[in-house]
Amino acid sequence: MPPPREQFWGTPTSTLDWCEINYEISPFIAEFWNTLSNLGMIIPSLFGIYDVLKAGLERKFILIHLILIVVGVGSWAFHMTLLWPMQLLDELPMVWGNSILIYQQWEIRKPLNRPINWNILLFCFTYCFFFTAVYLIFKNPLIHHTMYGLLVFVILAMDLRLVNYNQCRTCTRLLSTGFFLYTFGFGVWNIDNQLCKLLTDIRVLMPVGYRPMTQLHAWWHLLAGYATYLHIIFGIHARSHFVKPRTEVQLKWYGVSIRRVEGVSSTYSDKLH
């Protein structure tokens, strides 16, 4: 939306400008709430990295958490500046990161000393490289939405196949909760896009302290970010059904966490966990 005051980062060059009045809250941040809400992607995965290190789990799970952090930082930069290079810093890692998740899911039942699956790796790289090249040329947001959405559906299909295979109740709960949060977030994202004028009119009539609650794109960040974090926990716990050490999911003051469980069989036949 048109900024009501001088633009600290200059004229927006991004192909998208969301339903938040630019520079309304801070003269240094184009979309304040859409920027701040990216902490919902960054903070949980910082705790996640700590949990992985503390439990002595495979280092690849640090990489998975770092991907979510990179997406959060990129989205922060995009919404703070509304510049095209920062938009790329947000959107490219979303697609490349999903491809890494697909590779992880494909290899989730393989032993620790497995060789690299070059066929899947090459497919994921080719898909991401093709997307990046086409997107840089045409700069159409629908390209990103489509290519990213296809990967989301692939991941969901692989997740459903996995929970059907290992019959893990905790995995099912994590996947179901994450799916609900992500789907709900996607819903409010669409409402924000389609009903922006109505939301803006309603926002003006509300007390100032309640207006942030109507920033639906910010809610998308919070909901989708935490849903993705839950998916990472889901992947870690599901992996422990096939490779030691076993893990269990627990609740802490900062939310869902993962911890190592000693002296428990790593076979997937343990249906209760």
Side-chain angles (χ1 to χ4, degrees):
M1 299 183 66
R5 60 185 67 178
E6 184 179 354
Q7 302 157 313
F8 179 80
W9 297 101
T11 303
T13 58
S14 62
T15 60
L16 296 168
D17 193 351
W18 306 98
C19 190
E20 180 178 355
I21 297 176
N22 297 345
Y23 298 97
E24 182 181 37
I25 305 297
S26 169
F28 307 109
I29 300 176
E31 297 177 342
F32 183 84
W33 298 112
N34 288 349
T35 299
L36 194 65
S37 58
N38 287 291
L39 291 174
M41 303 183 206
I42 298 170
I43 293 177
S45 272
L46 290 176
F47 284 109
I49 290 173
Y50 171 78
D51 289 336
V52 169
L53 291 171
K54 183 179 179 181
L57 304 177
E58 293 174 82
R59 291 296 189 262
K60 68 178 182 179
F61 294 123
I62 296 177
L63 172 63
I64 302 299
H65 278 300
L66 283 174
I67 290 170
L68 182 55
I69 292 173
V70 168
V71 172
V73 171
S75 182
W76 179 294
F78 168 36
H79 290 284
M80 182 174 67
T81 66
L82 292 180
L83 299 178
W84 168 246
M86 299 301 102
Q87 182 177 345
L88 292 177
L89 191 61
D90 173 18
E91 294 175 334
L92 295 186
M94 292 173 67
V95 173
W96 285 83
N98 266 5
S99 293
I100 294 175
L101 285 176
I102 287 175
Y103 182 85
Q104 179 217 334
Q105 288 293 86
W106 188 275
E107 299 290 291
I108 200 166
R109 287 185 272 170
K110 303 296 178 62
L112 289 173
N113 58 352
R114 67 197 181 283
I116 295 175
N117 190 328
W118 290 107
N119 291 330
I120 300 300
L121 198 63
L122 180 61
F123 173 80
C124 291
F125 176 82
T126 302
Y127 184 94
C128 292
F129 182 83
F130 174 77
F131 156 72
T132 303
V134 171
Y135 195 43
L136 288 175
I137 294 171
F138 294 102
K139 298 184 179 181
N140 188 332
L142 287 177
I143 296 173
H144 170 260
H145 296 163
T146 301
M147 300 291 278
Y148 173 75
L150 287 173
L151 295 180
V152 171
F153 279 111
V154 171
I155 291 172
L156 178 60
M158 297 177 75
D159 291 342
L160 293 174
R161 180 173 178 268
L162 178 61
V163 296
N164 182 64
Y165 179 82
N166 67 10
Q167 296 294 307
C168 167
R169 293 191 299 191
T170 298
C171 291
T172 301
R173 291 166 183 161
L174 286 169
L175 184 62
S176 300
T177 304
F179 178 78
F180 171 78
L181 293 176
Y182 195 94
T183 304
F184 188 77
F186 181 65
V188 299
W189 179 84
N190 277 282
I191 293 173
D192 190 72
N193 290 339
Q194 301 301 322
L195 301 177
C196 178
K197 185 179 184 308
L198 176 61
L199 286 170
T200 303
D201 292 341
I202 293 174
R203 197 174 293 142
V204 172
L205 300 175
M206 298 177 66
V208 175
Y210 291 99
R211 291 178 185 177
M213 302 298 293
T214 65
Q215 299 291 350
L216 300 188
H217 193 88
W219 280 107
W220 154 250
H221 288 163
L222 294 172
L223 294 167
Y226 202 74
T228 305
Y229 170 76
L230 289 179
H231 187 272
I232 297 173
I233 300 299
F234 160 78
I236 295 174
H237 187 64
R239 172 69 170 160
S240 77
H241 283 70
F242 310 106
V243 174
K244 292 182 180 179
R246 280 300 304 269
T247 62
E248 74 172 9
V249 175
Q250 57 184 355
L251 288 176
K252 290 188 176 181
W253 64 269
Y254 55 84
V256 174
S257 176
I258 197 89
R259 78 178 185 92
R260 181 177 183 142
V261 179
E262 302 290 352
V264 181
S265 170
S266 63
T267 175
Y268 73 89
S269 61
D270 182 1
K271 312 292 186 183
L272 299 180
H273 298 284

